[in-house]
């Protein structure tokens, strides 16, 4: 099964993921994703520490244009996505 992880940094001016920023991510996810896991973390970009989010999606391809829409809605220089094949076990 395909796994996509989308790595999102926080706003460049605050380095904090506030309610408005999180709501923009959720709004995008409601439109483009069938289901996902939201993980908060701390990332580093260009030597600066910031709050971050990783969205993990299983079994769904995400078009580049949708990722570009997310990047633009968050006013980010870039976002990163990884795609992997994983074995899934459900019980």
């Amino acid at each position: 099964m395909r796994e996509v992880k989308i790595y999102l940094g926080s706003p460049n001016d605050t380095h904090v993921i506030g309610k408005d920023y999180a709501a923009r991510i959720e709004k995008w996810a409601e439109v483009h994703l069938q289901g996902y896991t939201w993980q908060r973390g701390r990332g580093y970009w260009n030597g600066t520490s910031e709050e971050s989010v990783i969205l993990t999606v299983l079994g769904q391809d995400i078009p580049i244009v949708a990722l570009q829409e997310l990047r633009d809605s968050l006013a980010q220089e870039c976002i990163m996505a990884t795609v992997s094949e994983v074995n899934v076990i459900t019980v």
Side-chain angles (χ1 to χ4, degrees), residues 4-79:
V4 178
K5 289 190 176 191
I6 305 167
Y7 297 82
L8 304 168
S10 55
N12 296 329
D13 57 343
T14 66
H15 306 292
V16 174
I17 295 177
K19 289 181 181 181
D20 176 61
Y21 195 81
R24 284 186 271 160
I25 297 169
E26 289 174 351
K27 181 179 177 183
W28 176 88
E30 287 175 9
V31 172
H32 295 284
L33 305 178
Q34 296 169 356
Y36 60 95
T37 299
W38 175 299
Q39 296 173 291
R40 284 192 176 255
R42 177 154 292 289
Y44 293 82
W45 177 249
N46 288 331
T48 301
S49 172
E50 63 181 1
E51 291 184 3
S52 61
V53 168
I54 302 170
L55 301 178
T56 303
V57 182
L58 290 173
Q60 181 184 350
D61 291 322
I62 304 167
I64 294 293
V65 68
L67 294 171
Q68 291 169 331
E69 178 186 317
L70 176 59
R71 177 200 62 204
D72 294 346
S73 74
L74 299 175
Q76 288 292 314
E77 181 180 327
C78 67
I79 61 174

